[in-house]
Amino acid sequence: MTHTDIVVCTTCRPTGASREQAADGLNLFEAVQDALLSAEGESDAPVGVRVRGQACMSGCNRACTVAFQAAGKQTYYFGDLVADAETAAHVVACARLHHSSPDGTLDRNDRPERLRNGILARLPASDTVFGRV
């Protein structure tokens, strides 16, 4: 079974944020972990969804950033996210959508509110065959 990976930049900091405190990206990563753990006891738990942290995803001007990846599916990369529990719940809900979509398509109107904007990239599946232009 293919898993959707939620990849959270753990070093993201909004412009001007203090380096004396934990990075907002790390806070978001931990909030997403908590949201996944909370959902495990629910009947609609996000089966097939995992989360992992990644130091620097090069979205520094658009912190906090998150990507959704799965084999054979489009990859989505989002920025300008708030590091809180509500965003984490929206990230998990969006990962469920990505997992249930045959090709990983995440239509804007179907995405949770906090992921309707801030899209940085949508990349084709790595196994997509490209024709000549």
Side-chain angles (χ1 to χ4, degrees):
M1 168 174 32
T2 300
H3 285 84
T4 287
D5 287 328
I6 303 167
V7 186
V8 182
C9 180
T10 58
T11 56
C12 273
R13 293 177 194 277
T15 304
S18 170
R19 296 212 172 263
E20 302 297 316
Q21 298 177 347
D24 281 1
L26 181 59
N27 293 334
L28 182 58
F29 173 67
E30 291 171 352
V32 170
Q33 285 182 311
D34 290 346
L36 276 173
L37 286 173
S38 295
E40 284 181 0
E42 299 174 10
S43 61
D44 63 344
V47 174
V49 174
R50 305 181 295 200
V51 62
R52 63 186 166 94
Q54 173 67 46
C56 193
M57 291 171 49
S58 294
C60 303
N61 291 332
R62 304 284 301 272
C64 291
T65 62
V66 169
F68 300 100
Q69 297 177 317
K73 295 186 179 192
Q74 296 179 64
T75 295
Y76 281 80
Y77 183 40
F78 294 89
D80 301 321
L81 299 174
V82 177
D84 65 10
E86 184 175 353
T87 298
H90 287 211
V91 166
V92 170
C94 198
R96 287 179 178 158
L97 290 173
H98 187 268
H99 179 70
S100 66
S101 170
D103 65 356
T105 297
L106 296 172
D107 292 328
R108 184 183 189 281
N109 291 334
D110 294 336
R111 295 190 310 249
E113 181 182 347
R114 292 200 176 175
L115 291 140
R116 289 192 183 147
N117 296 308
I119 191 164
L120 303 178
R122 182 184 70 181
L123 305 170
S126 61
D127 60 351
T128 300
V129 177
F130 295 96
R132 290 190 161 161
V133 178

